[in-house]
Amino acid sequence: ALLNTPMGRGLFDKKVIEELENSFTAKIEQLNRVLADGQPATDARVALVAEAEHKVADAEAVQNGAAEVLASARAAQKEAQASLKTAKASLIEYKPEYKKATEARDQQQQQFQTFMDVSVASFDMLNTKISAKKKKTMAEQRAAAEAAAEAEAAAKAAAKAEQSAREASAAETAVAEAAAADAAASTEASEAVATLTPEDASGAEGEAASTAATEAAVEMSVDQVPKIAEVPAALGTAAELGA
């Protein structure tokens, strides 16, 4: 029926075509109803799709950023690998110099240890001996200073004792002179009493003269007593200072 042209169709063909159109129309209406009933779900799915697309866009942005970071990291890695290769080459070139420096260091350490074991040890031993000798010299100097101080003190004591002896000798001389003067005064008083006449001796003047002569003799004797007592004390002091 569909192969024939509309003019060449018969009643049967037309009926078939009509039924077919009715079936198509009913199916279209059914599908339209299905579409209308599924529109809320479609809208929800559209929203989900939009959200998913937004997430995809964000993920693509993150991916693009990560790709840029990855590219930078790869570039840095290449640079680091190049630097590492250069460093390894420099290390290989430096190994002979490092070996030479290490040998020089070991040699210097050996020399330093030898210096410490020999020179410094000898210096410490010499310094100890010099310190002991210096201590001995200082002790001798202190002993000499103490001896000099004692000698000086002894000299001062001897000088003082000598001065005390001179003072004692002068005191003895003064005592002797006083005794002589006392004896002379006594003699003069005796002579004066002897020259008096009996009348003068019995008179007041004779008695006064006799009394004055006696008092003068006594006073001279009394004045000499302290000087006589001072002599033994001075001699004792001189002996102590001399000791």
Side-chain angles (χ1 to χ4, degrees):
L2 292 174
L3 294 175
N4 294 326
T5 60
M7 296 299 295
R9 292 174 186 169
L11 293 174
F12 180 77
D13 293 335
K14 291 180 179 178
K15 187 64 176 178
V16 170
I17 294 300
E18 183 179 358
E19 290 295 329
L20 183 60
E21 288 178 351
N22 291 332
S23 296
F24 283 160
T25 302
K27 191 63 176 178
I28 289 170
E29 290 177 356
Q30 181 183 0
L31 292 175
N32 286 330
R33 285 194 299 270
V34 170
L35 290 175
D37 293 337
Q39 187 64 37
T42 301
D43 294 337
R45 291 187 181 91
V46 169
L48 291 174
V49 169
E51 184 179 359
E53 288 178 350
H54 181 69
K55 290 181 179 179
V56 168
D58 293 340
E60 288 178 351
V62 173
Q63 183 180 7
N64 292 331
E68 292 178 357
V69 173
L70 178 61
S72 300
R74 286 178 177 174
Q77 182 182 10
K78 289 181 179 180
E79 293 179 358
Q81 288 176 350
S83 300
L84 178 62
K85 186 176 180 180
T86 304
K88 286 181 177 180
S90 300
L91 179 61
I92 293 173
E93 293 177 357
Y94 180 71
K95 279 184 177 179
E97 185 177 355
Y98 173 75
K99 184 178 180 182
K100 185 184 294 185
T102 304
E103 291 175 354
R105 181 203 62 190
D106 295 339
Q107 185 178 2
Q108 292 294 328
Q109 287 181 349
Q110 184 65 30
Q111 291 178 358
F112 175 75
Q113 189 64 37
T114 303
F115 175 77
M116 291 297 294
D117 294 340
V118 178
S119 300
V120 175
S122 300
F123 174 77
D124 292 337
M125 182 175 64
L126 183 61
N127 188 22
T128 303
K129 289 183 178 180
I130 291 174
S131 298
K133 186 176 180 181
K134 188 175 181 180
K135 289 180 180 179
K136 183 178 180 182
T137 304
M138 291 176 64
E140 291 177 354
Q141 290 177 353
R142 285 197 298 270
E146 291 176 357
E150 291 178 358
E152 185 178 359
K156 289 182 179 179
K160 190 172 181 180
E162 185 179 357
Q163 183 178 359
S164 299
R166 286 198 298 268
E167 291 177 355
S169 179
E172 290 177 355
T173 304
V175 169
E177 291 177 354
D182 188 10
S186 298
T187 304
E188 290 178 358
S190 299
E191 291 177 354
V193 171
T195 54
L196 291 176
T197 61
E199 290 83 2
D200 294 331
S202 60
E205 293 179 357
E207 185 178 357
S210 177
T211 303
T214 304
E215 290 178 356
V218 172
E219 288 178 0
M220 292 181 68
S221 300
V222 172
D223 291 337
Q224 298 302 326
V225 171
K227 294 181 179 180
I228 296 170
E230 289 175 0
V231 173
L235 291 175
T237 304
E240 290 176 358
L241 292 174

